[in-house]
Amino acid sequence: MQVGHGLLGLPEFVAVAHGSTNMDPLPDLCAAEAEYVHERAVETRRRNFTVGRYAAHCALDLLKADSGPILRGDHGQPIWPSGVVGSITHAGETVAVAVARSEHSGGIGLDIEQVGRFFPELISHIAFGDERSRLEAIDETNRARATIELFSAKEALYKAFFPRIGEFFGFSAAEITPEEPGRHLARLLQHLDPHYPPDRYFAVDTAWHDDAVLASVVLPVDQRG
């Protein structure tokens, strides 16, 4: 497990832990966390959850903010200690966690997606307006990666905002515009959060590692819109 500040291209105030779910032996879960893993859970789920929690504790330790079990909310989201924002993601054999003090960020979203998840109909589910036009203008060879990159970016954005607003919102609630390779500008199109009105932009970063993309959102601190 690699642990440090500013890894994966994130700001220095963000504590990051990332590595493989193929740890042997698996780290132990505390009793409160172990309750979320059914004794008959498939091995992949067990590993994802267990190593994800282990990585989360490593990142919180680095932040000097580990205060006990990381419980799970009604929608599966991790419940971070008071004054901390963060995100956990895993895909394939990779797990990554990022946490920061809420005085430095309004929310963090991480998401890893593999290009194998692409199917042509995905475009109509996640892309709207100019987003869809850009994807449809890309040659078929590169369209799958561009679509998965947008999908991952929107998933990361959702993970950053859900703990703030506590309700589901769809892919059409936000707009993501490429600015340069690996850097996108995003904004909410709906009035979901008074601190992030539709005229407030923030960054979404993406980076490809072989056939998987990592998208990250580190929201700037709250400000009234």
Side-chain angles (χ1 to χ4, degrees):
M1 187 67 59
Q2 187 174 1
V3 183
H5 282 286
L7 301 179
L8 303 178
L10 297 172
E12 284 296 322
F13 60 79
V14 179
V16 176
H18 69 98
S20 172
T21 58
N22 282 336
M23 298 181 68
D24 187 22
L26 277 176
D28 293 327
L29 292 169
C30 70
E33 294 170 345
E35 291 182 1
Y36 297 115
V37 183
H38 192 278
E39 62 181 9
R40 296 182 181 177
V42 298
E43 182 66 10
T44 299
R45 170 169 168 71
R46 182 183 301 277
R47 285 188 172 276
N48 285 346
F49 184 86
T50 301
V51 180
R53 283 305 190 270
Y54 172 73
H57 284 293
C58 289
L60 288 171
D61 280 342
L62 186 62
L63 205 63
K64 294 180 170 52
D66 197 349
S67 59
I70 304 170
L71 304 181
R72 190 171 67 181
D74 293 339
H75 298 274
Q77 77 278 17
I79 305 300
W80 300 106
S82 177
V84 172
V85 296
S87 185
I88 302 174
T89 187
H90 38 68
E93 298 175 356
T94 301
V95 64
V97 176
V99 293
R101 299 280 184 180
S102 54
E103 64 194 72
H104 295 139
S105 173
I108 293 178
L110 286 184
D111 186 71
I112 300 173
E113 301 292 341
Q114 296 175 315
V115 73
R117 293 196 65 183
F118 173 77
F119 58 96
E121 293 78 15
L122 182 62
I123 294 175
S124 63
H125 292 301
I126 68 166
F128 305 88
D130 290 342
E131 294 173 339
R132 187 177 300 181
S133 297
R134 281 191 292 270
L135 290 178
E136 292 176 343
I138 298 174
D139 63 88
E140 290 188 12
T141 302
N142 296 308
R143 189 177 300 157
R145 289 173 71 92
T147 302
I148 292 299
E149 187 168 353
L150 176 62
F151 176 54
S152 188
K154 289 201 170 184
E155 286 288 307
L157 187 148
Y158 177 82
K159 290 182 177 182
F161 275 102
F162 182 81
R164 297 179 54 86
I165 64 178
E167 63 181 63
F168 171 82
F169 60 92
F171 292 108
S172 63
E175 177 185 68
I176 295 180
T177 304
E179 187 178 34
E180 59 186 62
R183 172 56 64 100
H184 314 261
L185 287 180
R187 67 185 179 108
L188 297 177
L189 299 178
Q190 301 174 12
H191 291 276
L192 300 174
D193 187 321
H195 297 281
Y196 299 87
D199 62 349
R200 188 178 189 194
Y201 287 83
F202 43 89
V204 181
D205 291 327
T206 55
W208 282 92
H209 305 275
D210 297 323
D211 288 332
V213 63
L214 171 70
S216 59
V217 177
V218 180
L219 294 176
V221 292
D222 295 356
Q223 78 179 28
R224 290 289 178 182

